Amino acid sequence: MSGHTENDITIAAPLDLVWDITNDIENWPQLFSEYASVEVLSREGDKTTFRLTMHPDDNGTVWSWVSERVIDRRNRTVRARRVETGPFAHMDIHWKYAEIPGGTSMHWTQDFAMKPDAPVDDKGMTELINRNSRIQMELIRDRIEQRDRELRSTTVS
C-alpha cells in the first residue's frame, strides 16, 4: 500500500510573490511553523539539496532528513524527493502554482510509502499530512498576504 495526498489553497497575492516566498528554502523556518532549521547542502542549477529539521514532536523526537528539490519556474512546478527517507520507504512531492482570478492557487501532491517499522502506517501518515498541510498552507497564505499588503502600502506611500 502507499499514501497519496492532495491539498490546495488560494493566496490573494501575485504568483511571482507566492513563488519567490515559498521557494526561498533558507527562509522556511520563518514561513512554516513546523521547521526549526534548514541547511542548504548544495545547489546545481535549479536543483537544491538541503537538510530540514523539525521542532520536537509531542514525544520530544526531533525529525530531520535530506531532500532534493528541483524548481521549474517556467512551468510553475516544483518536484522534490527525500534523499534520506527516515521512516518513509519513499516520499515524492509535487507543488504546482497557477495564476487565478484573485491571486494564486498553490497545489501540493505527496506520494509516499512508510517503512514497515515506521511509527505510523500509510493511512495514519496520510491523515497526518492532510491535517498538517492545511495548517501550514493557511499559515503560508496568511504570511504571504500580509507581506503583499506591506509591499503595496510602501509602493503607494
Side-chain angles (χ1 to χ4, degrees), residues 31-34 108 132-140:
L31 186 62
F32 292 81
S33 64
E34 62 189 342
W108 294 351
N132 193 53
S133 290
R134 284 188 283 279
I135 291 167
Q136 295 304 313
M137 288 179 126
E138 289 171 3
L139 181 62
I140 289 167

Side-chain angles (χ1 to χ4, degrees), residues 6-145:
E6 292 198 39
N7 291 278
D8 58 63
I9 195 162
T10 298
I11 302 172
L15 187 138
D16 285 339
L17 181 64
V18 174
W19 176 273
D20 290 344
I21 291 175
T22 59
N23 287 293
D24 179 4
I25 295 170
E26 289 89 346
N27 192 49
W28 279 7
Q30 288 73 48
L31 186 62
F32 292 81
S33 64
E34 62 189 342
Y35 299 141
S37 67
V38 62
E39 175 189 5
V40 173
L41 303 173
S42 70
R43 289 189 195 275
E44 299 170 30
D46 291 333
K47 180 172 79 173
T48 304
T49 303
F50 57 100
R51 173 172 295 285
L52 272 176
T53 302
M54 297 183 80
H55 294 287
D57 66 15
D58 292 340
N59 299 321
T61 303
V62 175
W63 297 95
S64 182
W65 63 90
V66 172
S67 285
E68 181 180 274
R69 184 172 172 86
V70 179
I71 62 170
D72 181 350
R73 189 173 191 131
R74 188 171 55 83
N75 291 308
R76 301 174 176 163
T77 62
V78 177
R79 294 212 177 265
R81 69 179 184 89
R82 284 192 181 198
V83 177
E84 287 180 6
T85 58
F88 293 90
H90 71 87
M91 167 61 89
D92 299 303
I93 301 167
H94 181 230
W95 287 12
K96 190 166 100 178
Y97 302 78
E99 215 166 359
I100 60 171
T104 302
S105 168
M106 184 172 67
H107 186 93
W108 294 351
T109 303
Q110 292 173 283
D111 290 298
F112 59 91
M114 304 307 295
K115 291 179 180 173
D117 61 345
V120 65
D121 63 10
D122 293 340
K123 182 175 185 258
M125 184 54 75
T126 298
E127 292 168 4
L128 286 168
I129 289 173
N130 278 328
R131 183 171 51 250
N132 193 53
S133 290
R134 284 188 283 279
I135 291 167
Q136 295 304 313
M137 288 179 126
E138 289 171 3
L139 181 62
I140 289 167
R141 177 200 60 209
D142 294 348
R143 289 179 172 167
I144 292 174
E145 288 177 356

